[in-house]
Amino acid sequence: MEMTAVPPRGKVKATGSVRARKVTDNVATVVLWAMACSIIVMLAAFIVYMIYLGGSALSLSFLFGVPKETTAGGGIGPEIYNSFYILLMTLAFTVPIAVAAGVYLQEYARPGTFRNVVQFSAESLATVPSVVMGLFGLLVFVYLFKWKFTALGGALTLTLLNLPALMRVTQEALSSVPDTLREASMGLGGTKWQTITRVVLPSAIGRMTTGVVLIAGRIFGETAALIFTAGLSVPFNNPYDLNPMRPAETLAVHLWYTHSESIVPDVDRIGNGSALVLLLMVLLFNVSARVLGRQLTKRFTGRYS
Amino acid sequence: MIAVQARRSHRAERIAVFGLRVAAGFVILAMLALLGYLAFEGTKTFYVDKFPLWQFLFSPDFAIDSGKPGAAVFIAGTLAVTLCAILIGGPFGIAVGVFLAEIAPLRMTQILKPAIEVMVGIPSVVYGWLGLTLLVPIIRTHTSSPSGFGLAAAGIVLAIMILPTVITLSEDAFRSLPGALKEGSLALGATRWQTITRVLLPSASSGLAVALILGIARAIGETLAIQMVIGNSAQFANGLFAPTAALTTEIVTDMPGATEGSLLEHVLFSMAFLLLLIAMVLIVLVRFALRKRS
Amino acid sequence: MKKNAALAALLLGLSVVASSTPVFADTNITIAGSTALLPLVKDAAAAYQQAHGDVKISVSGGGSGTGINQVAAKAIDIGDSDIQAPTHPELKDNRVAVIGFAIVTHPATGVKSLTKKQLQDIFSAKVTNWKEVGGADQKIVVINRPRSSGTRAVFTKTVMGSVAISESGLTEDATGTVVSVVKQTPGAISYAALSGTRGGGLNELSVDGVAPTDDNIITGKYPVWSYEHMFTNGPATGEISRFIAFVQSNSDLVRKDGFILIRDMKVNETDR
């Protein structure tokens, strides 16, 4: 990113005594340190507070049991299953499209109208509020296609919602691959396609994986878009149904539903437990993103990045 | 033999590249479909129900049963919570961004950055749940607000939620400044704080504008976290602790029960379309700020 | 240009394939709507599925408006509602039970009974402190349901009459939320189906001195009640009609969940 130095607008002329300036500087440093630390403290406090609230709810019967609708003692097994089910479907749709589009934009597209329009569309799509995307999903999958509330409709809505972020991940990963690598491959007589598939993508795969897993964490917790598309219920008889054309309440949606619609007497226990599980899943996704990314980079390129 | 293979692989490559182009084109198509469909549904308030645009935008009367589709209360609610969020989260986020770019030692960065990524990943409903179980009772017991639900609770939850966006983007803005700028200032005898406030901040202004705009975009679109704590009253907030409603929260509250083709449904789609337009305007602003920067 | 045309054709083709995907057999029953009726339908669905292993029923809330709206759009099979659907003549009304609604407050308000007039004043925000109606010196926090709620509609019709509900109150999505917020908020008042208030911890008000008991509802002394409807798009057939009949006939479940059998009612309100 080229930058021309902007001449400072403020006065650079020394003001006040040297000592006063030093004191101000030290105070400012301390304040900034305090602010940064407060973020870590706040996050740690959230996690501890959630463990304190929800820790006692975590039991095998809670994690793997089926939800109860009117009595206490319900579990969240089908909700966890649905979260992963919708997540995997979404990734299966999103990753190929996003990687292909990202490769095209980064490696093939010349500057011009098409590339600009794609970029602008992606940026706009990325800022579309989740609830607006949910309404779009409602219009298309529930009303237009007459699918009713389905896991598939939810996954397709989430695909649209997360496509831009995954595209950006791909583009950033590709742009971090040094041009010397590309030149070396082309110099050895490789075609552009060979260079991309055999040299560039393997070098970028570590970063891409980190990005994908982080986004997977966000898909796992998505709520507003799913309320209107995947619905608020799970089939009683066969909660672990593989059929994509059935309603699929995810864990995050269940937390909202528990707060807003549920009439079970142990609302707080279920809410706190669900919130804690969601939080732990986010931590898990973050850690595995890093570990996986590092492993893959090492395997494909023999170096750490 | 080799020539045939080369030609075959050349053709395969052309097909593959066409496939990539289709994938890129899909993004345009998706955006056009979204825009077109929401524009179609979102303008029915005006061309089917024949209400004038100004009434939707500026009338505070939201009484669908008596044919009053004014959305001013929700527009004001969205602006108010966004303002709260950016007034708290903006300066805080920029400060931490400066800290990361200029002050933090490597050890600290290695803790803070993953922490921020975890914050991005925490689902909206979990923030809402925290707000509901932690913040609302605090506000209820320590202020004059009888219920604890309202503007302040929503603003604080939102401020926390936009922090990662503002921090990450303002750190990028500071990092992309040329090193000579800082070195020159320090060499002239300025302290680090003077360098930050008088040299780096003004130079990074357009990058910081991007950070704030995208923070605002996140705040405007946020739904469930604030729906759980804002109180959802169709009235202007007459104080920091008064319950009110935002565009997104009103959609979630009333959309499930809106009959297809009813005025209520049309007005809610108009509100969704308005949100989409706001998002696109913000993106144009971001592009403008970026162009100014380069 | 050609490429873009091909692209458009491909996507069109995909969407046609997608839209013609068969919707699975009618032994999959999807139900949504009234959160007042929810407990009965949920329990009935669980019992029904135990007896009929091949039927899958999924039930969710959303409010009466949601139920009517989505069954009319054929997004679901049965729409539960506390109110009738005069704007949708194509919907077939299946009455399954009667439910009473309680006016509930936080226990610390110190009020046990209010007149209709007092309730109207409170919900239209003319009265804003409990001491004005004989209670503690405590601000009143009014909690409403969304506009599409059947519970709100019943409350409006039977208590408010022509007096408009003030927008200054909080709005909570469903019976469950209302109950939990009223429990936690000193000074809170709202209305909720008796099927949802049985967990305790709430103060149920008498209206004009009449308590919301089954006897008072059956004899029509207590005014705030309504029929519960399960709407189908056109006459119910097959498994759907059998399930509705199961709900109507299962008097044990109906009574256990706090509802009243229609045949027990001594008054008849045809226009609700």
Side-chain angles (χ1 to χ4, degrees):
Chain A
M1 201 158 292
E2 297 101 307
M3 280 276 326
T4 45
V6 182
R9 273 167 230 153
K11 289 180 196 150
V12 190
K13 188 180 72 181
T15 44
S17 71
V18 174
R19 196 153 155 218
R21 283 189 286 145
K22 275 266 155 62
V23 170
T24 317
D25 188 52
N26 287 338
V27 169
T29 306
V30 169
V31 169
L32 287 180
W33 265 95
M35 289 171 106
C37 288
S38 72
I39 288 189
I40 297 170
V41 170
M42 185 179 72
L43 185 65
F46 279 177
I47 294 172
V48 171
Y49 177 71
M50 286 316 315
I51 292 174
Y52 162 73
L53 278 185
S56 59
L58 292 197
S59 63
L60 287 181
S61 66
F62 177 67
L63 291 176
F64 298 104
V66 293
K68 297 264 173 45
E69 300 301 342
T70 47
T71 51
I76 54 170
E79 278 77 17
I80 295 181
Y81 168 81
N82 282 335
S83 292
F84 278 109
Y85 185 49
I86 288 189
L87 167 64
L88 288 179
M89 257 204 288
T90 308
L91 287 180
F93 299 136
T94 319
V95 171
I97 303 176
V99 170
V103 168
Y104 181 78
L105 288 183
Q106 199 64 26
E107 303 287 334
Y108 284 96
R110 290 179 206 92
T113 315
F114 183 71
R115 199 172 89 165
N116 271 336
V117 176
V118 174
Q119 287 284 21
F120 182 75
S121 306
E123 283 162 23
S124 309
L125 214 52
T127 46
V128 172
S130 170
V131 62
V132 174
M133 198 61 93
L135 291 191
F136 180 66
L138 177 76
L139 283 173
V140 174
F141 305 119
V142 180
Y143 290 163
L144 186 66
F145 291 175
K146 304 220 177 296
W147 285 356
K148 307 182 184 179
F149 294 120
T150 58
L152 182 63
L156 288 170
T157 308
L158 291 193
T159 299
L160 291 180
L161 199 60
N162 290 285
L163 198 54
L166 263 167
M167 264 172 74
R168 188 157 48 208
V169 163
T170 310
Q171 282 179 271
E172 278 172 7
L174 292 175
S175 71
S176 74
V177 176
D179 276 343
T180 47
L181 266 181
R182 293 187 179 82
E183 283 151 19
S185 165
M186 305 281 264
L188 288 169
T191 65
K192 190 161 190 181
W193 181 254
Q194 286 168 331
T195 303
I196 290 169
T197 51
R198 295 184 199 169
V199 179
V200 179
L201 278 177
S203 312
I205 195 132
R207 270 172 158 259
M208 273 162 64
T209 309
T210 306
V212 168
V213 177
L214 284 177
I215 288 171
R218 260 181 271 167
I219 296 174
F220 193 86
E222 184 53 59
T223 319
L226 289 177
I227 290 173
F228 299 113
T229 51
L232 299 168
S233 59
V234 290
F236 278 110
N237 259 15
N238 192 1
Y240 300 99
D241 201 344
L242 262 177
N243 174 4
M245 306 305 286
R246 49 127 186 136
E249 184 197 38
T250 65
L251 183 57
V253 174
H254 188 61
L255 174 55
W256 180 77
Y257 178 84
T258 302
H259 153 66
S260 68
E261 314 243 315
S262 175
I263 46 175
V264 291
D266 53 348
V267 170
D268 288 339
R269 186 185 72 94
I270 298 207
N272 289 331
S274 306
L276 178 60
V277 171
L278 279 168
L279 196 63
L280 294 179
M281 289 308 302
V282 170
L283 292 172
L284 189 68
F285 274 108
N286 273 269
V287 172
S288 47
R290 258 157 244 288
V291 174
L292 263 176
R294 209 172 297 153
Q295 292 289 330
L296 285 171
T297 306
K298 195 175 147 197
R299 175 171 309 167
F300 281 92
T301 63
R303 65 186 161 84
Y304 288 98
S305 79
Chain B
M1 194 53 195
I2 290 166
V4 170
Q5 251 180 13
R7 209 181 306 139
R8 195 177 295 155
S9 76
H10 186 65
R11 199 169 64 194
E13 177 163 349
R14 272 200 359 226
I15 294 171
V17 175
F18 174 69
L20 299 185
R21 203 181 154 91
V22 168
F26 177 79
V27 179
I28 304 181
L29 206 84
M31 189 61 208
L32 281 180
L34 182 70
L35 191 62
Y37 218 151
L38 279 179
F40 176 66
E41 290 289 329
T43 50
K44 281 185 175 167
T45 309
F46 313 115
Y47 77 86
V48 174
D49 305 310
K50 310 280 184 212
F51 285 100
L53 180 62
W54 65 262
Q55 193 177 356
F56 170 74
L57 289 177
F58 302 115
S59 163
D61 286 329
F62 186 73
I64 293 297
D65 297 336
S66 38
K68 289 176 184 160
V73 165
F74 309 116
I75 297 172
T78 290
L79 293 179
V81 286
T82 306
L83 193 70
C84 280
I86 207 73
L87 282 181
I88 306 169
F92 201 105
I94 291 176
V96 179
V98 166
F99 175 81
L100 274 172
E102 301 297 330
I103 297 175
L106 185 63
R107 181 62 69 72
M108 184 68 183
T109 314
Q110 280 171 340
I111 303 173
L112 198 51
K113 284 235 155 187
I116 291 168
E117 255 161 39
V118 170
M119 282 180 72
V120 177
I122 295 178
S124 178
V125 272
V126 174
Y127 280 109
W129 185 259
L130 279 165
L132 193 70
T133 55
L134 200 57
L135 196 57
V136 168
I138 290 178
I139 294 177
R140 182 166 59 222
T141 39
H142 293 285
T143 70
S144 61
S145 160
S147 70
F149 290 92
L151 187 56
I156 294 170
V157 169
L158 264 190
I160 294 169
M161 292 184 74
I162 65 169
L163 268 182
T165 311
V166 181
I167 293 174
T168 312
L169 290 169
S170 48
E171 186 202 349
D172 287 351
F174 286 112
R175 282 203 192 279
S176 67
L177 296 175
L181 212 59
K182 186 168 81 179
E183 284 147 23
S185 168
L186 291 173
L188 285 171
T191 63
R192 183 162 64 185
W193 180 243
Q194 285 177 317
T195 306
I196 289 171
T197 50
R198 303 195 187 171
V199 180
L200 302 184
L201 265 179
S203 310
S205 59
S206 55
L208 296 179
V210 171
L212 291 178
I213 295 169
L214 288 178
I216 289 172
R218 172 112 206 244
I220 287 179
E222 189 45 60
T223 311
L224 295 178
I226 61 170
Q227 196 244 359
M228 287 162 89
V229 299
I230 199 172
N232 302 311
S233 310
Q235 60 165 2
F236 291 116
N238 55 8
L240 207 48
F241 297 107
T244 180
L247 289 168
T248 51
T249 64
E250 171 56 21
I251 292 174
V252 169
T253 304
D254 272 344
M255 192 52 152
T259 312
E260 218 184 343
S262 67
L263 174 61
L264 179 60
E265 194 212 27
H266 293 167
V267 173
L268 294 176
F269 270 112
S270 299
M271 285 162 45
F273 184 49
L274 180 64
L275 282 168
L276 186 65
L277 291 183
I278 294 174
M280 293 186 71
V281 167
L282 291 175
I283 283 302
V284 171
L285 282 178
V286 166
R287 296 206 136 206
F288 183 72
L290 284 175
R291 192 166 303 154
K292 217 175 127 197
R293 182 158 101 173
S294 57
Chain C
M1 216 45 235
K2 216 183 212 171
K3 281 178 190 167
N4 290 344
L7 178 77
L10 178 73
L11 285 161
L12 196 68
L14 272 180
S15 60
V16 169
V17 170
S19 57
S20 60
T21 312
V23 174
F24 287 73
D26 69 346
T27 46
N28 243 331
I29 306 177
T30 319
I31 306 172
S34 161
T35 45
L37 184 56
L38 196 60
L40 176 57
V41 180
K42 291 262 191 189
D43 282 348
Y48 191 77
Q49 285 176 110
Q50 260 168 12
H52 305 78
D54 54 331
V55 182
K56 293 176 195 167
I57 307 178
S58 53
V59 188
S60 52
S64 299
T66 310
I68 292 173
N69 176 21
Q70 288 182 346
V71 74
K74 296 189 179 167
I76 53 174
D77 301 303
I78 300 175
D80 296 342
S81 172
D82 313 333
I83 41 174
Q84 288 195 325
T87 51
H88 290 282
E90 77 276 21
L91 296 184
K92 167 84 172 60
D93 180 7
N94 306 283
R95 287 178 175 183
V96 291
V98 165
I99 186 70
F101 297 85
I103 318 297
V104 291
T105 71
H106 187 273
T109 50
V111 171
K112 292 274 171 235
S113 177
L114 289 173
T115 64
K116 262 191 196 179
K117 177 76 178 65
Q118 285 172 321
L119 284 170
Q120 289 168 358
D121 287 348
I122 288 173
F123 279 86
S124 60
K126 265 188 218 147
V127 167
T128 57
N129 195 309
W130 283 108
K131 72 178 177 204
E132 295 171 64
V133 289
D137 182 8
Q138 170 81 44
K139 264 192 190 169
I140 298 176
V141 178
V142 173
I143 298 166
N144 280 303
R145 294 281 307 279
R147 269 159 279 276
S148 59
S149 153
T151 303
R152 176 170 168 153
V154 173
F155 176 78
T156 305
K157 190 175 158 85
T158 54
V159 175
M160 296 304 283
S162 59
V163 181
I165 290 179
S166 160
E167 291 294 346
S168 63
L170 305 175
T171 306
E172 293 294 343
D173 285 324
T175 307
T177 341
V178 163
V179 169
S180 69
V181 174
V182 172
K183 265 187 213 167
Q184 290 160 13
T185 311
I189 183 169
S190 189
Y191 36 83
L194 286 167
S195 53
T197 60
R198 330 183 83 211
L202 292 171
N203 177 25
E204 294 180 3
L205 295 185
S206 298
V207 176
D208 291 329
V210 183
T213 61
D214 283 1
D215 282 344
N216 286 338
I217 293 166
I218 287 170
T219 53
K221 282 186 200 144
Y222 182 80
V224 197
W225 62 271
S226 81
Y227 290 108
E228 290 294 340
H229 313 262
M230 292 177 83
F231 287 103
T232 47
N233 201 320
T237 53
E239 217 51 74
I240 295 174
S241 84
R242 280 194 282 280
F243 176 64
I244 292 175
F246 178 79
V247 179
Q248 288 165 327
S249 63
N250 201 321
S251 51
D252 290 347
L253 271 185
V254 168
R255 289 200 179 109
K256 171 178 144 311
D257 284 328
F259 293 82
I260 295 166
L261 287 171
I262 293 175
R263 63 163 190 261
D264 287 348
M265 292 299 289
K266 302 211 171 85
V267 287
N268 185 13
E269 290 266 347
T270 46
D271 61 340
R272 287 201 199 209

